[in-house]
Amino acid sequence: MERADVVVVGAGPAGAAAAISMARAGREVVLVDKARFPRDKCCGDGLTTLALRELEALGLRPEVIPSWTWVDAAWLRSPSGRTVELALPSTRAWHAAIARRSELDAALVDLARHEGAKVLDGHGVTAVDVSDPRVVGLAIDGHVGLAANHVIAADGMWSPIKKAIGLTEPGELGEWHAFRQYITGVTGSAAERLWVWFEPELLPGYAWSFPLGGGTVNVGFGILRSAGTPTGHMRAQWEQLLRRDHIVAALGSNSTPEGPHKAWPIPTHVDRAPLARGRVLFVGDAAAATDPLTGEGIGQALLSGRLAGEAVTAAARPEAIAATYERAVARALFADHRMSLLLSRVLSRERGARGAVRFAGLTPWTRRNFARWLFEDEPRAGLLTPRRWHRQFLSRPGAYAGR
């Protein structure tokens, strides 16, 4: 059996961030994913300020991603039909962007490879053995054996690593469910504007349209999953949404689907999910780290991956690594997660959603700062956690200055 220092299972943003941070620190890293990159991934493709700052720190260059589109404003539509434009700060760098996940993830894998990680895409972990407290045994493609000192599981909501060591919750489906479809030939306002539509029957969820340039947009919707909600009902909702006058107007009458829609579950319970077990750390969707208010998960995936990589690099004993990582995730995400849950309850009522959009559009100050709050420029519960205040609190530049 071959010996490996650190094996990262899953090469999405969380796994790539972990691999990059550890390889850069001089650790020997093997990054494994059953898919070959580039590969499509169901996602809204939106990048918040949190995600942009993490990507910039990793060294990702936007120009290597063909679909990369900068965003300078968001347009919200209330359940009452009220429309509000939220302009993001127009100076000192960017606060939002959009990029196809197929391109973003492939670029991050290339960056991990460039930093020295050994990338095994197209190869799957088929067995896990944690019986030996000194190593984690992994079988690759059923026959190649690896004895890893540490494993970072970035293998998604239905994490095979988590299942193999007995941490999977029975019947886990995720708290949210989302649909996404790429649409081309867009001639309406959605070709340039980032739209968020608060439709009454979707609350506290919403529908979106994110521009990718050249008349192509990522359109989708996310809803809170209730027990027994059939997928067929979601498909019917999708078809109804695309026929609504304000959405047809935004897309244009001649827009056409680029391909079939796709659906995916969203786990949002990082504050009660297992984050570590022995020599294994869980990151991204495997740690249920998605924001429960917006369904944003890329920023949280990058952040949790980086924190896991830093914990492995900084500590020696497995117990210390696990404790360091758990404390870091709790500090970075738990308060914001709980704040998002409270705010989601407000948006679950039509009156609450109307009030939120009305408040956001009151003044130039509320429009600008609501947009910054929406795009995670500061932690969601930042005002309530003084330990995270800093000199540029509520005035910090975005990311990628000068681009």
Side-chain angles (χ1 to χ4, degrees), residues 72-75 84-90 364 367-372:
D72 58 11
W75 292 75
V84 172
E85 178 189 6
L86 303 179
L88 287 157
S90 58
R367 287 193 290 271
R368 182 176 63 255
N369 285 285
F370 194 91
R372 293 175 65 246

Side-chain angles (χ1 to χ4, degrees), residues 207-248:
W208 70 78
S209 178
F210 295 168
L212 286 161
T216 298
V217 298
N218 178 319
V219 184
F221 77 103
I223 57 173
L224 188 64
R225 179 188 285 277
S226 58
T229 300
T231 303
H233 179 59
M234 296 175 189
R235 285 197 294 268
Q237 283 182 297
W238 180 237
E239 294 168 1
Q240 293 168 11
L241 281 170
L242 291 180
R243 290 196 296 267
R244 294 190 178 171
D245 290 344
H246 57 279
I247 295 180
V248 170

